[in-house]
Coordinates of all heavy atoms in Angstrom, one line a residue:
G1 N -143.1 58.6 72.5 CA -142.4 57.6 71.7 C -141.1 58.1 71.0 O -140.4 57.3 70.4
H2 N -141.0 59.4 70.9 CA -139.9 60.0 70.2 C -139.4 61.2 71.0 O -140.2 62.1 71.4 CB -140.3 60.4 68.8 CG -139.1 61.1 68.0 ND1 -139.1 62.4 67.8 CD2 -137.9 60.6 67.5 CE1 -138.0 62.8 67.2 NE2 -137.3 61.7 67.0
T3 N -138.1 61.3 71.1 CA -137.4 62.5 71.8 C -136.3 62.9 70.9 O -135.7 62.3 70.1 CB -137.0 62.2 73.2 OG1 -136.0 61.1 73.1 CG2 -138.2 61.7 74.1
D4 N -135.9 64.2 71.2 CA -134.7 64.7 70.4 C -134.0 65.8 71.4 O -134.7 66.3 72.4 CB -135.1 65.5 69.1 CG -133.9 65.6 68.2 OD1 -132.9 65.1 68.5 OD2 -134.1 66.3 67.2
Y5 N -132.8 66.0 71.2 CA -132.0 66.9 72.0 C -131.1 67.7 71.2 O -130.6 67.3 70.1 CB -131.1 66.0 73.0 CG -132.0 65.1 73.9 CD1 -132.3 63.9 73.5 CD2 -132.4 65.6 75.2 CE1 -133.1 63.0 74.4 CE2 -133.2 64.8 75.9 CZ -133.5 63.5 75.5 OH -134.3 62.7 76.4
G6 N -130.8 68.9 71.7 CA -129.8 69.7 71.1 C -128.4 69.2 71.4 O -128.2 68.4 72.4
A7 N -127.5 69.5 70.5 CA -126.1 69.0 70.6 C -125.4 69.2 71.9 O -124.7 68.4 72.4 CB -125.3 69.5 69.4
A8 N -125.7 70.4 72.4 CA -125.0 70.8 73.7 C -125.4 70.0 74.9 O -124.7 70.0 75.9 CB -125.3 72.3 74.0
V9 N -126.6 69.3 74.9 CA -127.1 68.6 76.0 C -127.2 67.0 75.8 O -127.5 66.3 76.8 CB -128.4 69.2 76.5 CG1 -128.3 70.7 76.7 CG2 -129.5 68.8 75.5
K10 N -126.9 66.6 74.6 CA -127.1 65.1 74.4 C -126.2 64.4 75.3 O -125.0 64.6 75.5 CB -126.8 64.9 72.9 CG -127.8 65.3 71.9 CD -127.4 64.9 70.4 CE -128.5 65.3 69.5 NZ -128.1 65.1 68.1
G11 N -126.8 63.3 75.8 CA -126.0 62.5 76.8 C -126.0 62.9 78.2 O -125.7 62.2 79.1
R12 N -126.5 64.1 78.4 CA -126.6 64.7 79.8 C -128.0 65.0 80.3 O -128.3 64.8 81.4 CB -125.8 66.0 79.8 CG -124.4 65.8 79.6 CD -123.6 67.1 79.9 NE -124.0 68.2 79.1 CZ -124.5 69.4 79.5 NH1 -124.7 69.6 80.9 NH2 -124.9 70.3 78.7
F13 N -128.9 65.3 79.3 CA -130.3 65.7 79.7 C -131.2 64.6 79.2 O -131.0 63.9 78.2 CB -130.7 66.9 79.0 CG -130.1 68.2 79.6 CD1 -129.0 68.1 80.5 CD2 -130.5 69.4 79.3 CE1 -128.4 69.2 81.0 CE2 -130.0 70.6 79.8 CZ -128.9 70.5 80.7
T14 N -132.3 64.3 79.9 CA -133.3 63.4 79.5 C -134.7 64.0 79.7 O -135.0 64.5 80.8 CB -133.2 62.1 80.4 OG1 -132.0 61.5 80.2 CG2 -134.3 61.1 79.9
I15 N -135.5 64.0 78.7 CA -136.9 64.5 78.7 C -137.9 63.3 78.9 O -137.6 62.2 78.3 CB -137.2 65.3 77.4 CG1 -138.6 66.0 77.6 CG2 -137.2 64.4 76.2 CD1 -138.8 67.0 76.5
S16 N -138.9 63.5 79.6 CA -139.9 62.5 79.8 C -141.3 63.2 80.1 O -141.3 64.4 80.4 CB -139.6 61.5 81.0 OG -139.5 62.3 82.2
R17 N -142.4 62.4 80.0 CA -143.6 63.0 80.2 C -144.5 61.9 81.0 O -144.4 60.8 80.8 CB -144.3 63.4 78.9 CG -144.7 62.3 78.0 CD -145.2 62.9 76.6 NE -146.3 63.8 76.8 CZ -146.6 64.7 75.8 NH1 -145.9 64.9 74.7 NH2 -147.7 65.4 76.0
D18 N -145.5 62.5 81.6 CA -146.5 61.8 82.3 C -147.9 62.4 82.0 O -148.3 63.4 82.7 CB -146.3 61.7 83.8 CG -147.3 60.8 84.5 OD1 -148.3 60.3 83.9 OD2 -147.2 60.6 85.8
N19 N -148.6 61.9 81.0 CA -149.8 62.5 80.6 C -150.9 62.5 81.7 O -151.8 63.3 81.7 CB -150.3 61.9 79.3 CG -149.5 62.4 78.0 OD1 -148.6 63.3 78.2 ND2 -149.7 61.7 76.9
A20 N -150.8 61.5 82.5 CA -151.8 61.4 83.6 C -151.8 62.5 84.5 O -152.8 62.9 85.1 CB -151.6 60.1 84.4
T21 N -150.6 63.2 84.7 CA -150.5 64.4 85.6 C -150.2 65.6 84.8 O -149.9 66.7 85.4 CB -149.4 64.1 86.6 OG1 -148.2 63.9 85.9 CG2 -149.7 63.0 87.5
N22 N -150.3 65.6 83.4 CA -150.1 66.7 82.6 C -148.8 67.4 82.9 O -148.7 68.6 82.8 CB -151.3 67.8 82.8 CG -152.4 67.7 81.8 OD1 -152.2 67.0 80.8 ND2 -153.4 68.5 82.0
T23 N -147.8 66.5 83.0 CA -146.5 67.0 83.4 C -145.4 66.5 82.5 O -145.4 65.3 82.1 CB -146.1 66.7 84.8 OG1 -147.1 67.3 85.7 CG2 -144.8 67.3 85.2
V24 N -144.4 67.4 82.1 CA -143.2 67.0 81.4 C -142.0 67.4 82.2 O -142.0 68.4 82.9 CB -143.1 67.6 80.0 CG1 -141.9 67.3 79.3 CG2 -144.4 67.3 79.1
Y25 N -141.0 66.4 82.1 CA -139.8 66.7 83.0 C -138.6 66.8 82.1 O -138.5 66.3 81.0 CB -139.6 65.5 84.0 CG -140.7 65.3 84.9 CD1 -141.8 64.4 84.5 CD2 -140.9 65.9 86.1 CE1 -142.8 64.1 85.4 CE2 -141.9 65.7 86.9 CZ -142.9 64.8 86.6 OH -144.0 64.6 87.4
L26 N -137.6 67.5 82.7 CA -136.3 67.5 82.1 C -135.3 67.2 83.2 O -135.1 68.1 84.1 CB -136.0 68.9 81.5 CG -134.7 69.0 80.7 CD1 -134.7 68.2 79.4 CD2 -134.4 70.5 80.3
Q27 N -134.7 66.0 83.2 CA -133.6 65.6 84.1 C -132.3 66.2 83.5 O -131.9 65.8 82.4 CB -133.6 64.1 84.2 CG -132.5 63.6 85.1 CD -132.6 64.0 86.5 OE1 -133.6 63.8 87.2 NE2 -131.6 64.6 87.2
M28 N -131.6 67.0 84.3 CA -130.4 67.5 83.8 C -129.2 67.0 84.7 O -129.2 67.3 85.9 CB -130.4 69.0 83.9 CG -131.5 69.6 83.1 SD -131.6 71.4 83.1 CE -132.3 71.7 84.8
N29 N -128.2 66.4 84.1 CA -127.1 65.8 84.8 C -125.8 66.4 84.3 O -125.8 67.1 83.2 CB -127.0 64.3 84.6 CG -128.2 63.6 85.1 OD1 -128.7 64.0 86.2 ND2 -128.6 62.5 84.5
S30 N -124.7 66.3 85.0 CA -123.4 66.9 84.6 C -123.5 68.3 84.2 O -123.0 68.7 83.2 CB -122.8 66.0 83.5 OG -122.7 64.6 84.0
L31 N -124.2 69.1 85.0 CA -124.4 70.5 84.6 C -123.1 71.3 84.7 O -122.2 71.0 85.5 CB -125.4 71.1 85.6 CG -126.8 70.7 85.4 CD1 -127.7 71.0 86.6 CD2 -127.4 71.3 84.1
N32 N -122.9 72.2 83.8 CA -121.8 73.1 83.7 C -122.3 74.5 83.6 O -123.5 74.8 83.4 CB -120.8 72.8 82.5 CG -121.6 72.7 81.2 OD1 -122.1 73.7 80.8 ND2 -121.6 71.6 80.6
I33 N -121.4 75.5 83.7 CA -121.7 76.9 83.8 C -122.5 77.3 82.5 O -123.3 78.3 82.6 CB -120.6 77.8 84.1 CG1 -119.5 77.6 83.1 CG2 -120.0 77.5 85.5 CD1 -118.3 78.6 83.2
E34 N -122.2 76.7 81.4 CA -122.8 77.1 80.1 C -124.3 76.7 80.2 O -125.0 77.1 79.2 CB -122.1 76.4 79.0 CG -120.7 77.0 78.7 CD -119.7 76.6 79.7 OE1 -119.8 75.4 80.2 OE2 -118.7 77.3 79.9
D35 N -124.7 75.8 81.1 CA -126.2 75.5 81.2 C -127.0 76.5 81.9 O -128.2 76.4 82.0 CB -126.3 74.1 81.8 CG -125.7 73.0 81.1 OD1 -125.9 73.0 79.8 OD2 -125.0 72.2 81.7
T36 N -126.4 77.5 82.4 CA -127.1 78.6 83.2 C -128.0 79.3 82.2 O -127.5 79.9 81.2 CB -126.1 79.5 83.9 OG1 -125.4 78.8 84.9 CG2 -126.8 80.7 84.5
A37 N -129.2 79.4 82.5 CA -130.2 80.0 81.6 C -131.6 80.0 82.3 O -131.8 79.3 83.3 CB -130.3 79.3 80.3
V38 N -132.5 80.7 81.7 CA -133.9 80.5 82.0 C -134.4 79.5 81.1 O -134.3 79.5 79.8 CB -134.7 81.9 81.8 CG1 -136.2 81.6 82.1 CG2 -134.2 82.9 82.8
Y39 N -135.1 78.4 81.7 CA -135.6 77.3 80.9 C -137.1 77.5 80.7 O -137.8 77.7 81.7 CB -135.2 76.0 81.6 CG -133.8 75.6 81.4 CD1 -132.8 76.3 82.0 CD2 -133.5 74.6 80.6 CE1 -131.4 76.0 81.9 CE2 -132.1 74.2 80.4 CZ -131.1 74.9 81.0 OH -129.8 74.6 80.9
Y40 N -137.5 77.3 79.5 CA -138.9 77.5 79.1 C -139.4 76.1 78.5 O -138.8 75.5 77.8 CB -139.2 78.6 78.1 CG -138.7 79.9 78.4 CD1 -137.4 80.3 78.2 CD2 -139.5 80.9 79.1 CE1 -136.9 81.5 78.5 CE2 -139.1 82.1 79.4 CZ -137.8 82.5 79.2 OH -137.3 83.7 79.5
C41 N -140.7 75.8 78.8 CA -141.4 74.8 78.2 C -142.4 75.4 77.2 O -142.9 76.5 77.4 CB -142.0 73.8 79.1 SG -143.4 74.3 80.1
A42 N -142.7 74.6 76.2 CA -143.7 75.0 75.2 C -144.5 73.8 74.7 O -143.9 72.7 74.6 CB -143.0 75.8 74.0
A43 N -145.7 74.1 74.2 CA -146.6 73.0 73.8 C -147.1 73.3 72.4 O -147.3 74.4 72.0 CB -147.8 72.8 74.7
A44 N -147.1 72.2 71.6 CA -147.6 72.3 70.2 C -148.6 71.3 70.0 O -148.4 70.1 70.2 CB -146.4 72.1 69.2
H45 N -149.7 71.7 69.5 CA -150.8 70.7 69.2 C -150.5 70.0 67.9 O -150.6 70.5 66.8 CB -152.2 71.5 69.1 CG -153.4 70.7 68.9 ND1 -153.7 69.7 69.8 CD2 -154.3 70.6 67.9 CE1 -154.8 69.1 69.4 NE2 -155.1 69.6 68.2

């Protein structure tokens, strides 16, 4: 019900989740070289 984004990716990335499959997604559009990185997910209870 609530999402947030860092300033560098607002308007380009979209986060979503499907609890039925225990999966969270990150859709990344309009990628640029500054987006090159290792991407990590993390969970908080």
Side-chain angles (χ1 to χ4, degrees):
H2 176 254
T3 60
D4 199 10
Y5 300 90
V9 308
K10 286 181 179 178
R12 299 189 297 119
F13 290 11
T14 302
I15 189 171
S16 62
R17 69 189 298 159
D18 183 356
N19 285 349
T21 58
N22 261 356
T23 302
V24 176
Y25 302 93
L26 185 68
Q27 175 69 54
M28 302 179 288
N29 298 325
S30 301
L31 288 163
N32 55 60
I33 58 174
E34 289 75 28
D35 296 315
T36 295
V38 176
Y39 284 71
Y40 302 89
C41 66
H45 185 58

